[in-house]
């Protein structure tokens, strides 16, 4: 069986869906691994490194491939090269461009969207959202520190004391927790908020202050956050508006699956912040937690710097690619047998949870009855 790793087609995507270590594992199982020349360049993985691991490096790797792995959804041109019945596992943006998913279904591809990985214990090692968000949260703080015109830690000098920066993290998921930890390591005074009351213990365990309005807990059974009621939104907004006035750096990470990003920092709130303050909006790809943020731009508004970098995880491709590759390898372990044959148990909860296209149709429950 042939497993293909193509070069990512989306502009600016530097990650790759395999590492030399995962390639070795695939070859050991008896798979023929084909890696497109230059696929690992953005992650500083050379063609020679893939060759040494047992892969065949060349062009047109998608032709006759039985299994295809990717970081992002393949382009239309790449989809047309795939054979009917091929298995694709990648980040497919299932809440975004539906026509792209329909193109995969029309091609006869059995497609798995890794973003839909169920939040169950045995699926943790396959969770691309967690592995990539962890590094994105770290990078958000590093970028904020680079733009901030002052130091993060308190410093005692003969000429006076440099006060520590105040960092406020909004949204305490994987990215938010890493942002808290990173800001603390850099010496900042950190506070955080989330609409899920259960995150308070996690915030405090990292040495940060938890800021929470008197609202209904918005945690879903899957651990994600759901949208607040209008009344609770107003309470949370009032609390945030008062808190951000004294903050030097705000990191926003709030996303609701399948919905536009909620607005957390309004224009009016931004204008109450001190000149020189920095906002990093990790939700800019879904419209942003701040309406002033712009995709892949750094905006200056009345002395406040607003960073809207897309794909922060891709900025650390040397780390995020091996993690993403391992997530995919663990997922493939569910369907690739020890002899290299392919056997998919469509009743498996992980398989059912991530399967979006099969036998020429979109099959995930999220698509049923929707157009």
């Amino acid at each position: 069986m042939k497993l293909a790793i193509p070069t990512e087609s989306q502009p600016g995507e530097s990650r790759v869906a395999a590492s030399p270590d995962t390639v070795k594992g695939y070859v050991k199982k008896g798979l023929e691994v084909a890696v497109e020349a230059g696929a690992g360049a953005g992650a500083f993985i050379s063609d020679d490194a893939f060759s040494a691991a047992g892969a065949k490096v060349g062009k047109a790797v998608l032709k006759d491939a039985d299994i295809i792995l990717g970081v992002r959804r393949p382009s239309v041109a790449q989809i047309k090269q795939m054979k009917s019945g091929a298995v694709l596992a990648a980040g497919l943006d299932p809440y975004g461009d539906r026509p792209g998913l329909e193109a995969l279904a029309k091609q006869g591809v059995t497609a798995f969207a890794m973003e839909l990985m169920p939040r169950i214990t045995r699926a943790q090692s396959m969770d691309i959202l967690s592995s990539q968000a962890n590094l994105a949260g770290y990078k958000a703080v590093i970028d904020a520190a680079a733009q901030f015109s002052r130091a993060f830690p308190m410093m005692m000098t003969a000429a006076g004391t440099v006060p520590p920066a105040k960092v406020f993290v909004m949204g305490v998921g994987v990215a938010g927790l890493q942002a808290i930890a990173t800001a603390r390591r850099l010496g900042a005074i950190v506070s955080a908020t989330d609409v899920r009351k259960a995150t308070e213990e996690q915030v405090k365990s990292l040495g940060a202050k938890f800021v929470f309005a008197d609202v209904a807990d918005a945690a879903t059974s899957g651990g994600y956050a759901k949208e607040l009621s209008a009344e609770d939104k107003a309470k949370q907004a009032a609390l945030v508006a008062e808190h951000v006035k004294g903050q030097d750096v705000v990191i926003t990470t709030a996303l609701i699956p399948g919905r536009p990003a909620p607005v957390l920092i309004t224009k009016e709130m931004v204008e109450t912040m001190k000149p020189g303050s920095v906002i990093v909006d990790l939700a800019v790809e879904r419209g942003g937690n701040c309406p002033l943020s712009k995709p892949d731009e750094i905006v200056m508004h009345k002395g406040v710097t607003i960073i809207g970098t897309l794909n922060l995880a891709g900025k650390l491709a040397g780390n995020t690619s091996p993690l993403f590759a391992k997530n995919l390898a663990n997922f493939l372990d569910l369907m690739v047998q020890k002899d290299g044959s392919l056997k998919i148990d469509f009743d498996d909860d992980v398989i059912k949870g991530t399967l979006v296209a099969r036998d020429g149709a979109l099959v995930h429950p999220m698509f049923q009855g929707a157009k």
Side-chain angles (χ1 to χ4, degrees):
M1 287 187 53
K2 179 180 176 181
L3 183 151
I5 310 293
T7 299
E8 292 299 313
S9 61
Q10 291 201 19
E13 181 54 75
S14 53
R15 291 171 292 177
V16 61
S19 68
D21 283 344
T22 60
V23 167
K24 288 177 183 177
Y26 299 141
V27 172
K28 189 175 181 179
K29 282 191 172 184
L31 297 176
E32 176 189 337
V33 181
V35 177
E36 187 170 354
F44 302 99
I45 303 175
S46 67
D47 290 345
D48 288 343
F50 279 127
S51 294
K56 295 181 179 179
V57 178
K59 298 180 180 179
V61 299
L62 294 176
K63 184 180 180 181
D64 299 325
D66 301 290
I67 302 171
I68 301 158
L69 302 181
V71 174
R72 300 280 195 116
R73 184 188 300 171
S75 66
V76 173
Q78 288 176 319
I79 292 172
K80 289 181 178 179
Q81 298 176 50
M82 298 177 187
K83 69 178 184 181
S84 178
V87 170
L88 169 69
L92 298 180
D93 187 19
Y95 299 111
D97 177 23
R98 179 165 176 172
L101 295 179
E102 291 174 338
L104 284 168
K106 184 178 179 181
Q107 192 71 11
V109 174
T110 300
F112 295 92
M114 296 296 289
E115 302 98 321
L116 298 177
M117 189 64 61
R119 287 201 140 185
I120 56 178
T121 301
R122 73 183 186 92
Q124 289 179 350
S125 66
M126 313 170 206
D127 186 356
I128 64 167
L129 294 181
S130 293
S131 71
Q132 304 302 289
N134 188 48
L135 272 297
Y138 162 83
K139 181 63 171 167
V141 176
I142 298 303
D143 286 356
Q147 289 292 326
F148 189 48
S149 61
R150 303 179 184 90
F152 264 43
M154 182 178 72
M155 298 182 188
M156 306 290 289
T157 77
T161 300
V162 174
K166 294 181 180 180
V167 176
F168 183 38
V169 178
M170 304 187 69
V172 189
V174 174
L177 288 170
Q178 185 56 249
I180 293 169
T182 302
R184 288 279 295 152
R185 290 189 200 104
L186 291 177
I189 296 175
V190 184
S191 57
T193 190
D194 197 286
V195 294
R196 298 164 296 174
K197 180 66 173 175
T199 60
E200 179 177 6
E201 184 178 346
Q202 296 170 310
V203 169
K204 290 182 175 178
S205 72
L206 293 172
K209 176 184 176 182
F210 189 60
V211 178
F212 187 76
D214 183 19
V215 299
D217 190 2
T220 66
S221 58
Y224 292 103
K226 62 184 178 182
E227 194 168 9
L228 293 172
S229 66
E231 181 182 358
D232 283 347
K233 278 183 182 179
K235 289 180 181 179
Q236 183 73 358
L239 177 71
V240 168
E242 186 61 32
H243 191 66
V244 298
K245 292 178 183 179
Q247 302 303 303
D248 298 301
V249 173
V250 178
I251 311 284
T252 69
T253 72
L255 286 169
I256 300 172
R259 303 287 296 275
V263 173
L264 303 181
I265 302 290
T266 65
K267 177 183 176 183
E268 291 74 22
M269 292 180 192
V270 173
E271 292 175 354
T272 68
M273 295 177 70
K274 296 176 291 186
S277 299
V278 177
I279 297 171
V280 182
D281 191 344
L282 270 71
V284 68
E285 189 171 353
R286 295 296 183 195
N289 295 141
C290 176
L292 298 175
S293 62
K294 295 183 179 180
D296 258 352
E297 291 188 26
I298 297 177
V299 176
M300 181 70 75
H301 182 79
K302 296 190 176 181
V304 178
T305 301
I306 305 166
I307 303 173
T309 306
L310 294 171
N311 190 16
L312 277 174
K315 305 301 181 184
L316 297 171
N319 294 123
T320 51
S321 288
L323 295 177
F324 199 108
K326 187 62 176 176
N327 291 148
L328 289 171
N330 291 333
F331 181 66
L332 283 191
D333 281 343
L334 298 178
M335 58 185 78
V336 177
Q337 307 303 300
K338 292 182 178 180
D339 62 358
S341 62
L342 188 66
K343 183 179 180 181
I344 304 176
D345 178 4
F346 289 103
D347 291 322
D348 183 286
D349 287 340
V350 173
I351 297 296
K352 286 194 297 184
T354 54
L355 181 66
V356 293
R358 182 187 180 193
D359 297 333
L362 295 180
V363 297
H364 195 276
M366 68 186 289
F367 300 117
Q368 305 311 307
K371 292 293 182 180

